[in-house]
Amino acid sequence: MTSNSAPSPFARLSLNSATTKKLTLAEVVDGCVRAGIPAIAPWRDRVEEAGLDKAAKLIKDAGLRVSSLCRGGFLTAADAEGQAAALADNRAAVLEAAALDTRELFLVVGGLAPGEKDVVAARQRVADRLADLVPFASENGIRLVLEPLHPMYAADRAVISTLGQALDLAAPFDAQAAGVAVDTFHVWWDPELKAQIERAGRERRIASYQVCDFNMPIAADPLLSRGFMGDGVIDFATISTWVRDAGYAGDIEVEIFNQEIWDADGDVVMETVKARYAELVLPYA
Amino acid sequence: MTSNSAPSPFARLSLNSATTKKLTLAEVVDGCVRAGIPAIAPWRDRVEEAGLDKAAKLIKDAGLRVSSLCRGGFLTAADAEGQAAALADNRAAVLEAAALDTRELFLVVGGLAPGEKDVVAARQRVADRLADLVPFASENGIRLVLEPLHPMYAADRAVISTLGQALDLAAPFDAQAAGVAVDTFHVWWDPELKAQIERAGRERRIASYQVCDFNMPIAADPLLSRGFMGDGVIDFATISTWVRDAGYAGDIEVEIFNQEIWDADGDVVMETVKARYAELVLPYA
């Protein structure tokens, strides 16, 4: 059987709901359907607003895939109470991911504890909490996705700063239980990036490829310095080629935190995402 | 012979002139003498204002050492004209360092060329320019000091982002010709830091240890997020111990870019530097 229509160039494109932060989940889903974007990566707050069961049905009825759920994590509490709360929250996130019919749960692992300066100890606590969580996640068919964040967030958001470090932390676990994310914004600067993407491919741990640009100068709120592909300094051709050559053929998520984009019309944002993806990412991915 | 007086606890302390940005070189020198800080690391703009010969005499007559000259670098121009200009400027910096009687010339190697997105190519140009410069520097008794900068400056200030990468770039040259700097602000987050400091020690390339803190939240101008030791998130005990155990026994520079500190009285700043150094760095260094 052959189809009369060519496959969509956007078959692997997924919109992360943070890119259209002001839209409800229903609005994001409708927008993706209108735009021909076949997958979404919802954040948990949008899912919670809609209600988990309704959110799952909404997405499924619209014919969209869920490429990942964003996010669990914040595993670095130093006290027993904080650790128990983090584990409970992450177990809930695992169940939400399963209900949404995705395999991939992103973890932003957390920074230093309040007042703490011992980043080595904080990293060890991440390793310990992963060991606590992986069995539960695996039983529920969910892979925990370790996301290295740009080192400017090491103190307050993630003590995992490089892809190599994420792979080291994932190493004790089965590749189907613990993966890594390659987010261009966070890793483009890393002199080890090519080698570590190759390693991630060999170890079959690439769970997600996320694309957005690194805008310069850095925004006054450094969380919001992400931009549409093409607006910043990142070489998407090179990194996309490395990810492709490492064997990754899964969804490609666009996740942009940017006040100007948040303030823009959602449909316009999605069309820009598609255009930049088609021009700068797809030919190499 | 024994001395009646114990050695000064500040015998290894050096004030980088950027910490007291508003002071002239003469004012910094006077302040260091008053404060009992035995060494300074002048920036080239302060030296130029004073005049090179006068600056050298001023520092020498005050009995101060010059721990390093800040800075050469910006070696990533992609065009022949830009490269020639960078080489000329760096050769001038080498001669200035020699005239100031220091062995160590810091290099902030530069970011992407205007409009460029190929960080791999920019790194190669750094390697190429180093090969151009090292012979001239060595002939003049100067070591080129590669400073890895925090990855948030990779696009616009330095495509060297980790100590390991700096050591790789220095590797083709003699350890007395090409060294590396360990600046806590830039490298504290690096999961490879301990291993790479050990390596830098083994390879005898630690040319400078610079201390200042990483303030959170990051300042709106990310260049100015440096702070007095103790004001941010850095574990000076651990990193200082690693640097000491790697065999480094040279000067320890305090270099802080911070608007509030620049606006404060220079003598007060120097006393704060001394107090924080004595409390947080010296016991471990």
Side-chain angles (χ1 to χ4, degrees):
Chain A
M1 295 263 300
T2 56
S3 162
N4 286 329
S5 58
S8 162
F10 303 109
R12 297 173 63 193
L13 180 59
S14 176
L15 186 78
N16 185 293
S17 75
T19 304
T20 50
K21 187 181 178 173
K22 293 184 176 174
L23 301 189
T24 65
L25 185 65
E27 289 168 339
V28 182
V29 166
D30 285 350
C32 283
V33 169
R34 273 196 302 279
I37 296 174
I40 69 166
W43 275 57
R44 291 174 70 199
D45 53 356
R46 289 290 160 278
V47 171
E48 189 180 0
E49 285 168 9
L52 179 60
D53 294 341
K54 281 190 186 169
K57 185 172 188 311
L58 186 69
I59 296 168
K60 191 171 188 172
D61 288 352
L64 301 181
R65 285 193 313 283
V66 177
S67 55
S68 73
L69 178 64
C70 289
R71 57 176 165 63
F74 289 87
L75 299 170
T76 51
D79 61 305
E81 191 180 355
Q83 291 174 4
L87 288 174
D89 183 60
N90 279 274
R91 288 193 193 101
V94 164
L95 298 179
E96 290 161 32
L100 291 165
D101 201 20
T102 180
R103 271 191 46 73
E104 315 292 355
L105 174 62
F106 267 71
L107 300 186
V108 171
V109 298
L112 299 169
E116 178 182 44
K117 305 202 179 190
D118 190 345
V119 68
V120 177
R123 288 181 195 131
Q124 183 57 50
R125 296 199 300 277
V126 171
D128 294 344
R129 295 297 83 70
L130 282 177
D132 294 338
L133 276 172
V134 159
F136 182 81
S138 292
E139 285 162 21
N140 286 279
I142 300 301
R143 170 153 67 177
L144 302 178
V145 181
L146 299 174
E147 181 172 23
L149 258 57
H150 193 285
M152 66 184 162
Y153 309 126
D156 60 351
R157 303 188 68 78
V159 292
I160 301 181
S161 304
T162 65
L163 189 58
Q165 185 192 4
L167 288 166
D168 288 346
L169 278 160
F173 312 106
D174 187 88
Q176 292 305 305
V180 298
V182 178
D183 180 324
T184 53
F185 177 88
H186 292 304
V187 300
W188 72 272
W189 59 272
D190 184 354
E192 296 295 317
L193 186 58
K194 180 170 192 269
Q196 295 300 331
I197 288 174
E198 288 169 354
R199 174 186 166 200
R202 279 196 309 276
E203 299 180 359
R204 307 187 69 79
R205 292 196 193 268
I206 303 178
S208 180
Y209 181 40
Q210 288 188 327
V211 292
C212 79
D213 219 326
F214 190 101
N215 284 359
M216 290 292 295
I218 294 172
D221 176 349
L223 272 181
L224 306 188
S225 212
R226 300 169 77 111
F228 287 125
M229 297 79 80
D231 286 354
V233 298
I234 293 178
D235 180 354
F236 290 97
T238 297
I239 298 177
S240 298
T241 301
W242 291 342
V243 170
R244 178 196 67 199
D245 290 350
Y248 183 72
D251 293 317
I252 301 175
E253 290 185 10
V254 176
E255 183 188 41
I256 310 177
F257 309 155
N258 178 306
Q259 193 62 53
E260 202 176 314
I261 294 174
W262 288 341
D263 292 340
D265 175 80
D267 288 328
V268 172
V269 169
M270 292 187 205
E271 288 305 320
T272 306
V273 163
K274 286 170 59 184
R276 300 297 179 87
Y277 173 82
E279 178 192 352
L280 297 168
V281 179
L282 180 64
Y284 312 98
Chain B
M1 295 263 300
T2 56
S3 163
N4 286 329
S5 58
S8 164
F10 303 108
R12 296 172 63 193
L13 179 59
S14 176
L15 186 78
N16 185 294
S17 75
T19 304
T20 50
K21 187 181 180 173
K22 293 184 177 174
L23 301 189
T24 65
L25 184 66
E27 290 168 338
V28 182
V29 166
D30 286 350
C32 284
V33 169
R34 275 196 303 279
I37 296 174
I40 68 168
W43 275 57
R44 291 174 70 199
D45 53 356
R46 289 289 159 277
V47 171
E48 188 179 2
E49 284 167 9
L52 179 59
D53 293 340
K54 281 188 186 170
K57 185 172 187 314
L58 185 71
I59 295 168
K60 189 171 191 174
D61 288 352
L64 300 181
R65 286 193 311 283
V66 177
S67 54
S68 72
L69 178 64
C70 291
R71 59 177 163 58
F74 289 87
L75 299 169
T76 50
D79 60 305
E81 191 180 355
Q83 292 173 3
L87 288 174
D89 183 60
N90 278 275
R91 288 194 192 102
V94 164
L95 298 178
E96 290 162 31
L100 290 165
D101 201 21
T102 180
R103 271 192 47 72
E104 316 293 355
L105 173 63
F106 268 70
L107 300 187
V108 170
V109 298
L112 300 168
E116 179 183 45
K117 305 203 178 188
D118 190 344
V119 68
V120 176
R123 289 183 193 126
Q124 183 57 49
R125 295 198 300 275
V126 171
D128 294 343
R129 295 298 83 68
L130 282 176
D132 294 337
L133 277 171
V134 160
F136 182 80
S138 291
E139 284 163 20
N140 285 280
I142 300 300
R143 170 154 66 176
L144 302 178
V145 181
L146 299 174
E147 182 171 22
L149 258 56
H150 192 287
M152 67 184 160
Y153 309 127
D156 60 350
R157 303 188 67 77
V159 293
I160 300 181
S161 303
T162 66
L163 190 56
Q165 185 192 4
L167 288 165
D168 289 346
L169 278 160
F173 312 107
D174 187 89
Q176 293 303 306
V180 298
V182 178
D183 180 323
T184 54
F185 177 88
H186 292 304
V187 300
W188 72 272
W189 59 271
D190 184 356
E192 297 295 316
L193 186 58
K194 180 169 191 269
Q196 294 300 331
I197 288 174
E198 288 169 354
R199 174 186 167 199
R202 280 196 309 277
E203 299 180 357
R204 308 186 71 79
R205 292 197 194 267
I206 304 179
S208 180
Y209 180 41
Q210 288 189 326
V211 293
C212 79
D213 219 326
F214 190 102
N215 284 0
M216 291 290 295
I218 294 171
D221 176 349
L223 272 180
L224 306 187
S225 212
R226 300 169 77 110
F228 286 126
M229 298 79 81
D231 286 355
V233 298
I234 292 178
D235 180 353
F236 290 98
T238 297
I239 298 177
S240 298
T241 301
W242 291 343
V243 170
R244 179 197 66 200
D245 291 351
Y248 183 73
D251 293 317
I252 300 176
E253 290 184 12
V254 176
E255 182 188 42
I256 311 177
F257 309 154
N258 177 306
Q259 192 63 53
E260 202 176 315
I261 294 173
W262 288 342
D263 291 340
D265 175 80
D267 288 328
V268 173
V269 168
M270 292 189 204
E271 288 305 320
T272 305
V273 163
K274 285 170 60 186
R276 301 296 181 86
Y277 173 82
E279 179 193 350
L280 297 168
V281 179
L282 181 63
Y284 312 97

